[in-house]
Amino acid sequence: MIIQKSANPRISNFDLENFSFGNTFIDHMFICEYEDGKWGEPKIMPYGPIGFSPAMMGVNYGQACFEGMKAYKDENDDVFLFRPEKNFSRINKSTSRLAMPEIPKDIFMEGLKTLIDLDRDWIPKGEGMSLYIRPVIFATEEVLKARISNKYMFAIVATPAKSYYAEPVSVKISDHYSRAANGGVGFAKAAGNYAASFYPTKLANEEGFEQVIWTDDIAHEYFEESGTMNVFVRINDTIYTPKTSDKILDGVTRDSFIKLAEKRGIEVVIGDVRVKDVVEAFDNGTLKEVWGVGTAVVTSVFKSLGYQDRLLTLPVLSDEESFALSLKKDLTDIQTNKAEDPFGWRFKVERKILEKA
């Protein structure tokens, strides 16, 4: 691997108390290009723009997908990743569906570990703090032909992150738009999935909702996801969540929540979640919580659900009463090395770059 360190690192100007998620980037990025049927030499280089043509196939035909993951720093300044092999496996499920080349494990894992080790000083420490990591692959061949590209770039960039959606939000249950369809690419983290969600979300925002609960494309009878998150519903003391399919992303946070709930002895039902059943549970007083989970947000608690001409205002629960918040704490305590990790999810990033410096 080629490592080209920045001659003008920006870490000294990073203000932990005043930064924006998503547009503050660490000093370096990882790049590896694919051409002539093989991957080239991986490279870590200073973060910055890369020149591309408007004829690049990823822009014109949408061969692009990504992952979302995080690095955490504990009180001793040790750095940890969370279940990185799940992200490696999933990005290759996405590349397969989009007819892109599989990313070799050594390129993914070594690039990830080396980049995070090199820029570990960018990882903020404290409650809700982390480094959000974006592995992304896209077609780079410059040709206007609707076919599979012959050239690709795999990159990893990262941005410091703090808690957001900290306050409960209002969401609209969609009865017209859908996120994905049977036989489509809903299970993949395809870039186009997110572009298609923006317009319905904009309409929901104009009605006073922060997000959308996506429903099935046939009759809008079943919950699927919420915004960019997997969705959970608590009726009495049972948790319900839609089963994964070719329409629903197999979320790492989703899977972790299910396992943590089962460890607590909470019943989790994985299957169809009918809109009708959720509304009926609200009407009879058994609907306790609805929330979304994902890497960036971890947990977003919903304070109300908009459905057709109704607004269903959910109960206000304490942190101890809330399954959503209790499970979030269980998860973040494992991620930040505040609790034992009985599942083997935490992955320590060893100090290697600094030792060689």
Side-chain angles (χ1 to χ4, degrees):
M1 184 185 302
I2 298 171
I3 300 177
Q4 178 188 348
K5 293 186 179 181
S6 173
N8 299 293
R10 293 169 284 106
I11 184 61
S12 59
N13 297 320
F14 174 52
D15 183 357
L16 180 62
E17 304 300 323
N18 184 29
F19 72 91
S20 298
F21 170 76
N23 58 13
T24 301
F25 293 96
I26 63 176
D27 281 316
H28 299 88
M29 60 186 179
F30 174 86
I31 297 291
C32 191
E33 296 188 75
Y34 179 94
E35 188 174 358
D36 297 327
K38 62 182 183 296
W39 288 97
E41 186 168 14
K43 178 167 59 176
I44 287 179
M45 59 191 292
Y47 174 82
I50 301 174
F52 291 112
S53 161
M56 185 175 75
M57 293 183 74
V59 172
N60 288 277
Y61 303 111
Q63 274 188 293
C65 65
F66 60 86
E67 275 298 313
M69 52 198 308
K70 284 183 176 180
Y72 305 86
K73 185 177 285 183
D74 71 6
E75 291 302 314
N76 298 317
D77 288 336
D78 287 327
V79 171
F80 299 90
L81 297 168
F82 183 72
R83 307 186 75 180
E85 293 209 4
K86 292 279 286 184
N87 297 98
F88 165 71
S89 174
R90 191 172 62 184
I91 198 169
N92 280 329
K93 286 178 65 177
S94 298
T95 59
S96 176
R97 180 61 180 84
L98 297 175
M100 296 193 286
E102 181 175 314
I103 301 165
K105 188 172 185 178
D106 60 336
I107 289 177
F108 184 95
M109 295 298 293
E110 292 305 314
L112 175 65
K113 290 187 293 183
T114 305
L115 177 65
I116 300 310
D117 182 23
L118 179 62
D119 277 348
R120 62 174 57 232
D121 288 345
W122 279 91
I123 305 173
K125 183 168 64 176
E127 187 70 28
M129 298 291 196
S130 62
L131 183 73
Y132 182 83
I133 306 164
R134 171 55 56 84
V136 59
I137 177 173
F138 48 92
T140 56
E141 186 178 358
E142 296 175 26
V143 59
L144 297 181
K145 293 182 179 179
R147 60 160 170 78
I148 296 170
S149 176
N150 292 311
K151 297 181 182 180
Y152 300 88
M153 177 175 285
F154 172 56
I156 305 175
V157 297
T159 176
K162 47 191 170 184
S163 294
Y164 68 103
Y165 280 163
E167 296 298 319
V169 298
S170 294
V171 296
K172 180 179 180 180
I173 300 173
S174 177
D175 58 3
H176 178 70
Y177 294 101
S178 294
R179 175 185 171 275
N182 287 311
V185 296
F187 71 92
K189 286 187 75 71
N193 289 350
Y194 298 81
S197 74
F198 294 155
Y199 178 68
T201 303
K202 175 178 177 288
L203 296 180
N205 294 162
E206 291 170 355
E207 294 181 38
F209 300 98
E210 284 90 353
Q211 265 299 352
V212 174
I213 290 181
W214 305 108
T215 52
D216 65 282
D217 61 302
I218 299 173
H220 302 285
E221 293 181 351
Y222 301 98
F223 278 23
E224 291 193 339
E225 292 190 10
S226 178
T228 59
M229 303 173 289
N230 293 114
V231 64
F232 287 82
V233 174
R234 175 185 172 188
I235 298 175
N236 286 321
D237 287 336
T238 299
I239 293 175
Y240 299 83
T241 192
K243 62 180 180 294
T244 56
S245 66
D246 58 7
K247 296 192 292 180
I248 297 176
L249 189 72
D250 185 9
V252 178
T253 309
R254 170 191 178 275
D255 182 72
S256 303
F257 258 66
I258 290 169
K259 288 181 169 58
L260 287 166
E262 291 172 342
K263 184 175 183 295
R264 277 180 170 254
I266 299 170
E267 183 181 5
V268 180
V269 177
I270 301 171
D272 292 335
V273 178
R274 295 198 307 173
V275 175
K276 177 183 176 182
D277 292 339
V278 174
V279 173
E280 286 183 355
F282 174 82
D283 288 337
N284 64 32
T286 59
L287 182 64
K288 304 300 183 185
E289 297 179 87
V290 185
W291 70 94
V293 301
T295 298
V297 69
V298 185
T299 305
S300 179
V301 176
F302 303 156
K303 64 182 178 182
S304 58
L305 311 176
Y307 181 60
Q308 296 179 347
D309 60 349
R310 300 184 63 186
L311 184 66
L312 316 181
T313 302
L314 298 170
V316 177
L317 304 179
S318 68
D319 290 4
E320 293 73 24
E321 294 172 323
S322 168
F323 285 1
L325 297 179
S326 297
L327 293 170
K328 176 184 178 181
K329 185 177 188 306
D330 290 348
L331 180 63
T332 56
D333 282 354
I334 290 175
Q335 291 170 331
T336 56
N337 199 27
K338 292 179 180 177
E340 292 298 318
D341 177 12
F343 304 98
W345 290 338
R346 201 165 50 225
F347 180 92
K348 186 175 181 179
V349 179
E350 301 293 345
R351 292 179 179 269
K352 293 183 179 180
I353 298 292
L354 295 180
E355 290 175 356
K356 295 178 181 177

